[in-house]
């Protein structure tokens, strides 16, 4: 990649960083000189994927849906590294079913991880960002959160909620040097690989560029939104999706 930002001195938290988009984002921040907290609830996967660590990586096994654990984790990060400058709320799950077959567990868990997790991390991080008069919050939403999808009313509600949440937090924090934006990605990850073959073919055909991105292709957009240079951009949803959302 030729687009380079320098995050030296910045502490970056990426959730869902054991694989997929989150892992690719964390790798980018690390090569751009940031201190990176790679957070995931899958501790074994986290250990396996981030075994070869520099001093600039902190592995954090945390369930973003658990508000007490998140509060504790953010305060530990600030105690260790002095600040939390950039958070990427990326952790996610899918529990698909048409609405008349959705169980309480499928509904609750998807809302709790995506919307609850994004809220928990943001609520815990913003006071520290306010004190520092600097912060970058980047949430990960989805095309489905804007347009809906069959079998994903729970996921659509969560991702649509994240867009409304992003704009509200952007307004609340704008006076404190904090920006809050979202990306809407489209990348070949485990989450996408779990989609049935015929549905996946249909989804691929709907991408104007005719392919899913490599997860690393999400990094430049996130890095830009996280950079000092993007200080005047807040409350936007940036699609990084090969044209799907046109
Ligand atoms: N891949 C795509 O095309 C696409 C499209 C739109 C939106 N998204 C969103 O991008 C984000 C990343 O997706 P991905 O495709 O890389 O998925 P993925 O399944 O490859 O990775 C998700 C990661 O989140 C972790 N995670 C799940 N629940 C968690 C929790 N409660 N606490 C902490 N970590 C948790 C998982 O363990 C996993 O490592 C998700 O929010 C997803 O909804 C992805």
């Amino acid at each position: 990649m030729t687009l380079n930002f320098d995050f030296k001195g910045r502490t970056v938290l990426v959730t869902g960083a054991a694989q997929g988009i989150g892992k690719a984002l964390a790798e980018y921040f690390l090569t751009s000189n940031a201190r990176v907290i790679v957070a995931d609830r899958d501790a074994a996967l986290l250990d396996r994927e981030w075994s070869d660590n520099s001093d600039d990586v902190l592995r954090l096994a945390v369930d973003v849906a658990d508000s007490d654990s998140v509060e504790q984790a953010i305060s530990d990060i600030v105690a260790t590294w002095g600040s939390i400058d950039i958070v990427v709320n990326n952790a996610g799950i899918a529990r698909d079913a048409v609405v008349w077959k959705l169980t309480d567990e499928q509904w609750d868990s998807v809302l709790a991880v995506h919307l609850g997790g994004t809220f928990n991390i943001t609520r815990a991080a913003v006071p520290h960002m306010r004190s520092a008069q600097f912060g970058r919050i980047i949430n990960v939403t989805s095309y489905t959160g804007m347009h809906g999808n069959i079998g994903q009313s729970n996921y659509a509600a969560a991702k649509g909620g994240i867009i409304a949440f992003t704009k509200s937090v952007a307004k609340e924090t704008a006076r404190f040097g904090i920006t809050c934006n979202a990306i809407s990605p489209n990348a070949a990850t485990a989450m996408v690989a779990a989609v049935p073959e015929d549905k996946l073919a249909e989804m691929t055909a709907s991408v104007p560029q005719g392919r899913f991105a490599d997860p690393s292709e999400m990094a430049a957009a996130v890095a830009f939104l996280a950079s000092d240079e993007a200080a005047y951009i807040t409350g936007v949803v940036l699609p990084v999706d090969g044209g799907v959302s046109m």
Side-chain angles (χ1 to χ4, degrees), residues 19 21 40-41 62-64 90 114 140-141 155 159 185 187 189:
Q19 64 179 13
I21 293 169
D40 206 287
R41 75 169 171 192
V62 69
D63 179 349
V64 296
N90 166 80
H114 289 276
V140 179
T141 183
Y155 183 82
K159 290 305 203 187
T189 64

Side-chain angles (χ1 to χ4, degrees), residues 205-226:
S206 75
V207 184
Q209 290 191 357
R211 66 178 181 91
F212 278 80
D214 184 84
S216 64
E217 293 179 78
M218 305 299 115
V222 171
F224 171 60
L225 292 173

Side-chain angles (χ1 to χ4, degrees), residues 43-222:
L45 188 62
L46 198 57
D47 287 349
R48 198 163 68 239
E49 296 298 316
W50 289 94
S51 58
D52 190 16
N53 283 349
S54 76
D55 290 345
D56 289 330
V57 176
L58 189 67
R59 275 176 297 196
L60 179 66
V62 69
D63 179 349
V64 296
D66 178 344
S67 62
D68 290 343
S69 303
V70 166
E71 278 291 339
Q72 187 61 53
I74 300 282
S75 101
D76 290 349
I77 290 165
V78 175
T80 307
W81 276 340
S83 66
I84 180 145
D85 305 303
I86 298 162
V87 300
V88 185
N89 287 309
N90 166 80
I93 57 170
R95 300 285 183 269
D96 296 353
V98 285
V99 69
W100 58 93
K101 292 184 179 170
L102 262 187
T103 63
D104 288 350
E105 193 282 327
Q106 288 170 319
W107 176 264
D108 291 343
S109 60
V110 167
L111 269 289
V113 173
H114 289 276
L115 196 49
T118 298
F119 164 61
N120 289 336
I121 297 271
T122 303
R123 179 177 60 179
V126 162
H128 302 287
M129 293 175 168
R130 271 190 69 175
S131 299
Q133 291 289 296
F134 177 88
R136 297 283 183 269
I137 301 161
I138 294 130
N139 299 324
V140 179
T141 183
S142 166
Y143 172 86
T144 300
M146 296 177 258
H147 300 279
N149 193 21
I150 292 170
Q152 290 199 307
S153 59
N154 52 352
Y155 183 82
K159 290 305 203 187
I162 285 175
I163 294 172
F165 179 78
T166 298
K167 291 174 188 288
S168 298
V169 172
K171 288 183 175 176
E172 289 175 359
T173 60
R175 287 173 297 136
F176 309 119
I178 302 169
T179 67
C180 183
N181 293 293
I183 67 155
S184 175
N186 203 37
T189 64
M191 188 180 277
V192 172
V195 174
E197 211 172 305
D198 53 338
K199 176 77 179 164
L200 188 56
E202 203 181 288
M203 284 165 66
T204 308
S206 75
V207 184
Q209 290 191 357
R211 66 178 181 91
F212 278 80
D214 184 84
S216 64
E217 293 179 78
M218 305 299 115
V222 171

